[in-house]
Amino acid sequence: MIDSIVALLQNHPEGLRSEQIREQLGVAAKELPRPLADAMDQNRITKTGQKRATTYFATAGQVVSPTRRGRKPGVSHKP
């Protein structure tokens, strides 16, 4: 299911809302939240907005470790 979501979002660089993803994949509303959350945990998709305005996007490039996200290698980030 995650692969299907990522592939769909890669074909829609403008992003899609969950309703649109459900419609395109033909799945029930209750089947989508877990795969979306898992795909985000794996850094395969991102989202912007809140509630019904949430839009999902496929991430480009490599998977970033959650502990290293937004940090440059070899640079100290201590205050």
Side-chain angles (χ1 to χ4, degrees):
M1 174 75 84
I2 292 173
D3 290 336
S4 298
I5 293 169
V6 172
L8 177 63
L9 291 173
Q10 286 173 337
N11 290 325
H12 293 276
E14 73 282 3
L16 294 172
R17 293 187 331 272
S18 63
E19 297 89 16
Q20 295 168 309
I21 295 169
R22 282 196 316 262
E23 183 178 293
Q24 293 278 330
L25 297 179
V27 298
K30 66 181 181 178
E31 295 178 34
L32 198 57
R34 172 59 71 79
L36 285 174
D38 289 346
M40 287 184 23
D41 288 344
Q42 296 173 17
N43 295 318
R44 296 184 66 191
I45 65 171
T46 60
K47 70 176 182 176
T48 62
Q50 296 178 351
K51 298 185 181 179
R52 294 207 48 185
T54 302
T55 304
Y56 296 91
F57 303 89
T59 56
Q62 66 188 32
V63 174
V64 178
S65 167
T67 58
R68 301 291 302 167
R69 190 177 300 148
R71 297 184 176 200
K72 293 181 182 176
V75 177
S76 174
H77 293 279
K78 294 181 182 177

